Amino acid sequence: VEAAKRALALVNRGVAQGRLGETDKEIEDYGAVVAMPDAPAEQRAKALVNRGVAWRRLGETGNAIEDYDAVIAMADAPDTRRAGALNNRGWIRYTEGDYAAFETDVRAAMDTDPALSGAQFNYGLALLALNRDAEALEAYGRAASETPDGIDEVIEDLHVARASWLSEERAKPVLALLEKIRGLGAGGTAEGPEGS
């Protein structure tokens, strides 16, 4: 019980350190949890995922991937943490231009935790990056209909992609679909609001 309380306190303090911009202290707190032999799996997995996010924020993607890999390999990691690690590792692969690995990771994240909305949106982006535009449009439509509050961030990701690899012509149908679903609000689909 004491180990569980200590691990939880360190994770919570790490989160607070991160919010204060104290990334080195944040990483230190998460590292203390990871080093605890008796830390509960949930806290160890959360510390690894959060530390991976902190490493990425510092540009240390190799360290971030190591932490995500550790969670993915944990036999007792909760599915939500494993899915988060897969999704986050996939995003790093995307930023490195490895779109096939991105698609593999986000598909595995969705299989592990179908409710992880970030992975559903990332799957659409992965398909688009792999020139599978029709499938991407379907994936974006499903994700946006289920999680309309995530659309703004996704639209921003598409604008960033347009600056490097995505043509305006290919982005246009996806952006139009997302705008339409956003305009319908929660419960709407590309065909119209529920019950219409």
Side-chain angles (χ1 to χ4, degrees):
V1 176
E2 282 306 311
K5 287 180 182 176
R6 184 168 187 272
L8 179 61
L10 283 164
V11 166
N12 288 341
R13 188 172 73 179
V15 170
Q17 299 284 18
R19 289 184 181 146
L20 294 171
E22 299 285 345
T23 306
D24 291 339
K25 291 178 183 176
E26 174 188 14
I27 288 170
E28 190 177 306
D29 282 343
Y30 297 143
V33 175
V34 173
M36 289 175 65
D38 48 356
E42 162 65 22
Q43 297 305 322
R44 198 169 62 255
K46 185 174 184 177
L48 283 162
V49 170
N50 288 0
R51 190 173 70 175
V53 171
W55 283 126
R56 184 171 175 273
R57 205 178 319 122
L58 292 176
E60 300 284 340
T61 56
N63 288 334
I65 287 174
E66 281 182 30
D67 282 350
Y68 299 145
D69 286 348
V71 175
I72 294 162
M74 279 177 66
D76 54 353
D79 284 346
T80 56
R81 300 290 175 216
R82 185 174 290 110
L86 283 159
N87 189 53
N88 291 354
R89 184 179 72 180
W91 187 260
I92 291 173
R93 299 298 192 216
Y94 167 71
T95 62
E96 294 172 342
D98 189 345
Y99 303 144
F102 176 41
E103 189 264 345
T104 298
D105 275 350
V106 296
R107 193 167 12 92
M110 291 183 339
D111 289 345
T112 304
D113 181 4
L116 185 63
S117 63
Q120 294 172 21
F121 282 119
N122 283 347
Y123 188 59
L125 185 62
L127 293 170
L128 201 57
L130 292 169
N131 297 309
R132 293 162 55 187
D133 292 21
E135 292 173 78
L137 198 60
E138 275 183 46
Y140 274 120
R142 275 192 310 275
S145 295
E146 292 173 16
T147 316
D149 60 337
I151 292 175
D152 290 339
E153 186 176 341
V154 173
I155 288 173
E156 180 58 32
D157 290 342
L158 289 166
H159 288 304
V160 170
R162 283 178 51 204
S164 56
W165 61 267
L166 182 61
S167 71
E168 187 171 339
E169 178 183 322
R170 290 182 59 221
K172 211 177 245 186
V174 176
L175 288 168
L177 175 70
L178 293 172
E179 292 289 354
K180 182 175 182 179
I181 293 171
R182 181 169 60 181
L184 296 170
T189 66
E191 290 74 43
E194 278 184 354
S196 64

